[in-house]
Amino acid sequence: MREKIIYKAAELFLTLGFKSVTMDDIAQEMGISKKTIYVHFANKTKLVEAVTFHLFDTICDGIDTICGSSNNPIEELYAIKMFVMHHLNNEKASPHYQLKKYYPQIHKALKFKQFEKMHDSVQESLQHGVDTGVFRDTIDVDFISRMYFTGMTGIKDNMFFPTETYTMDYLMESYLEYHLRAIVTEKGFKIMNNFITSNQS
């Protein structure tokens, strides 16, 4: 039952927002009593925390699978972007913004976990790109991986990139191209261009 509650709550939180959805809403959607939810979660904050880290773990598992099977680091980054967008395709209520505003401690803990995960995997991907000649061998792998994380979290800031003006898909696609153009070799540029062209046609 705990897993079913997390799954349904995640669906509602991503669609309607962390603030808007009540424990009553979740219970009603599931056709159970609110008391049943409280057996597994002491309060809404505990449920939000469980949902947040469940989503994080699910996305991490998917990213690990992609990293283990991709042809090269450039296609890997695009595959990860498409996976994340597909996984959050019902995200209509700026959950990232709501989490930061209403559950700052959970947001802070999530951001730290995201940094640890992304920093390690991006460093590995960058080094692989250098070793295979698609990224310049002069790049500072540690610095670039930190910059990549900063940019990917920065584009989610609604103050700078309002959702009325930019879709998340556009922001991620544009940032990815911006990031890659700064580090690719001529060989990497051809791979990137071919990939972009073939996926637009």
Side-chain angles (χ1 to χ4, degrees):
M1 179 55 76
R2 180 184 165 85
E3 286 73 26
K4 287 180 180 177
I5 294 168
I6 288 174
Y7 182 81
K8 177 52 72 177
E11 185 185 303
L12 292 172
F13 288 151
L14 286 178
T15 308
L16 303 169
F18 287 105
K19 177 68 174 171
S20 312
V21 177
T22 65
M23 297 296 246
D24 284 315
D25 294 332
I26 297 163
Q28 191 175 344
E29 278 285 321
M30 295 185 71
I32 60 175
S33 72
K34 198 161 63 169
K35 284 181 183 176
T36 305
I37 298 176
Y38 284 119
V39 168
H40 299 279
F41 304 97
N43 50 51
K44 185 182 171 184
T45 300
K46 289 292 181 188
L47 177 57
V48 168
E49 184 177 51
V51 166
T52 300
F53 292 116
H54 166 73
L55 288 170
F56 172 77
D57 289 339
T58 303
I59 289 173
C60 284
D61 289 344
I63 289 171
D64 287 342
T65 302
I66 291 165
C67 292
S69 60
S70 61
N71 294 323
N72 61 67
I74 293 171
E75 290 189 16
E76 181 182 294
L77 281 172
Y78 278 103
I80 289 170
K81 186 218 77 152
M82 287 186 276
F83 169 76
V84 171
M85 288 309 301
H86 173 72
H87 199 78
L88 299 178
N89 64 348
N90 290 323
E91 192 176 288
K92 298 183 180 76
S94 303
H96 177 82
Y97 170 77
Q98 289 201 7
L99 192 67
K100 186 178 180 179
K101 184 174 181 181
Y102 299 110
Y103 300 94
Q105 291 304 114
I106 298 173
H107 177 266
K108 187 178 178 182
L110 175 66
K111 194 169 182 180
F112 182 72
K113 281 172 75 79
Q114 286 175 328
F115 173 72
E116 281 189 319
K117 173 67 181 175
M118 195 183 281
H119 186 52
D120 288 344
S121 61
V122 171
Q123 269 192 311
E124 198 175 305
S125 177
L126 287 168
Q127 191 57 56
H128 179 52
V130 170
D131 295 341
T132 54
V134 297
F135 297 152
R136 290 184 288 107
D137 60 9
T138 53
I139 65 169
D140 182 333
V141 169
D142 180 66
F143 173 75
I144 297 293
S145 68
R146 290 172 187 272
M147 285 297 293
Y148 183 71
F149 177 79
T150 304
M152 284 301 280
T153 50
I155 60 174
K156 292 178 182 173
D157 193 320
N158 201 51
M159 184 169 79
F160 300 115
F161 299 101
T163 49
E164 311 85 64
T165 310
Y166 301 100
T167 65
M168 187 49 65
D169 191 46
Y170 173 83
L171 288 171
M172 287 183 76
E173 185 81 22
S174 301
Y175 180 69
L176 199 46
E177 186 174 343
Y178 172 81
H179 163 74
L180 286 170
R181 282 181 181 275
I183 61 173
V184 290
T185 58
E186 193 174 334
K187 176 184 174 183
F189 181 74
K190 285 177 183 172
I191 293 170
M192 183 185 80
N193 247 9
N194 288 339
F195 189 80
I196 292 172
T197 305
S198 65
N199 280 275
Q200 284 176 341
S201 56

